[in-house]
Amino acid sequence: GTAELLVLRQLLGVEVRAESTPRAHLDVDQLLALLDIAAAVEAIVAVEVGEASAPRVVTKAACGVTVTFQGTDLRLDMAEEPLLEAKCQKGSVSVPRHGTSAEVRLEPLEVRAGGGASGWVSSSEACLHTEAPDGRPDEVRATLRHCFPGAESEHFALPWRGTIELLLADPRFAPHRAWLEAARDGLESELVRPSRKRPRDEEQEGPAPRNPRARL
């Protein structure tokens, strides 16, 4: 019955589906204000918990939580010009039950730096996984699994690296240098192969239509 279903959800986890498409459009001044607020909250929490006398420990989630959405758009402007744009068709954010990790999955993830000056760079799937070993927030490991073009090259850089470099060069972001450098250098990049259709799926779809104009 309904009571049994509610108990089962509490035991296995909670899933939330967002019907509308999340969108965020802000400029660097608004981003700076958000970082200032986050830094202030972190300072208050550090005082309340007593970070100097005892190490903080990440609280384990009492139940698993998963939030799914159909798409999202993000745009960051500087001087009324697009500095970075990102979008995806579907995604999810999940925290496992009794875990100290979190996962953000986006499919596909498309990124464009510098507005129309450069084209979109796409990864058919991207997954950001964060984990705090032993519950220590100062030892959080973050790994991004993706398949951006050119990722196999030793000179590969994530498509938002240039944007972070610009923010690091801005004196106003000096108080948040540690966070920006962590976003630039502290993210482990792991290449994954794009998923392909199985032969059985291709047989069900039938052969691809032939182009009568094609010539060898």
Side-chain angles (χ1 to χ4, degrees):
T2 304
E4 289 82 357
L5 180 59
L6 291 175
V7 172
L8 185 61
R9 279 187 179 175
Q10 291 178 355
L11 290 176
L12 298 181
V14 179
E15 182 174 352
V16 180
R17 299 194 178 191
E19 299 296 336
S20 60
T21 300
R23 288 184 171 86
H25 185 181
L26 64 159
D27 58 31
V28 292
D29 292 329
Q30 293 170 318
L31 175 62
L32 179 61
L34 291 175
L35 291 176
D36 289 339
I37 294 173
V41 171
E42 184 185 48
I44 293 173
V45 171
V47 172
E48 293 292 334
V49 177
E51 183 180 36
S53 58
R56 285 182 295 166
V57 177
V58 175
T59 302
K60 293 185 177 181
C63 64
V65 178
T66 299
V67 179
T68 61
F69 47 90
Q70 291 304 309
T72 186
D73 294 309
L74 171 66
R75 174 171 164 172
L76 177 64
D77 289 351
M78 176 180 282
E80 300 184 354
E81 294 293 334
L83 183 62
L84 181 71
E85 297 172 88
K87 60 183 180 180
C88 74
Q89 294 179 6
K90 62 179 181 178
S92 65
V93 180
S94 59
V95 178
R97 185 168 180 258
H98 297 315
T100 56
S101 63
E103 185 174 275
V104 180
R105 184 177 297 273
L106 305 172
E107 300 179 9
L109 174 60
E110 299 180 80
V111 182
R112 180 169 65 176
S118 60
W120 290 93
V121 180
S122 178
S123 175
S124 60
E125 54 184 310
C127 178
L128 175 63
H129 180 84
T130 62
E131 185 170 0
D134 300 323
R136 294 294 301 273
D138 54 338
E139 297 178 1
V140 172
R141 290 199 300 263
T143 302
L144 177 67
R145 296 190 288 272
H146 64 90
C147 51
F148 283 113
E152 296 179 345
S153 171
E154 60 178 309
H155 303 295
F156 171 77
L158 290 169
W160 50 81
R161 183 182 178 90
T163 300
I164 296 179
E165 295 284 1
L166 286 175
L167 297 179
L168 283 169
D170 190 330
R172 296 176 299 169
F173 285 85
H176 311 297
R177 188 173 189 84
W179 286 357
L180 294 173
E181 289 180 342
R184 182 193 62 184
D185 305 323
L187 187 64
E188 297 180 15
S189 183
E190 180 179 317
L191 176 64
V192 296
R193 301 295 180 183
S195 58
R196 295 182 177 179
K197 295 180 181 178
R198 295 173 299 178
R200 181 179 299 177
D201 296 334
E202 294 178 351
E203 291 176 3
Q204 292 177 352
E205 291 183 1
R210 297 179 60 185
N211 184 354
R213 296 183 179 179
R215 294 290 186 272
L216 295 178

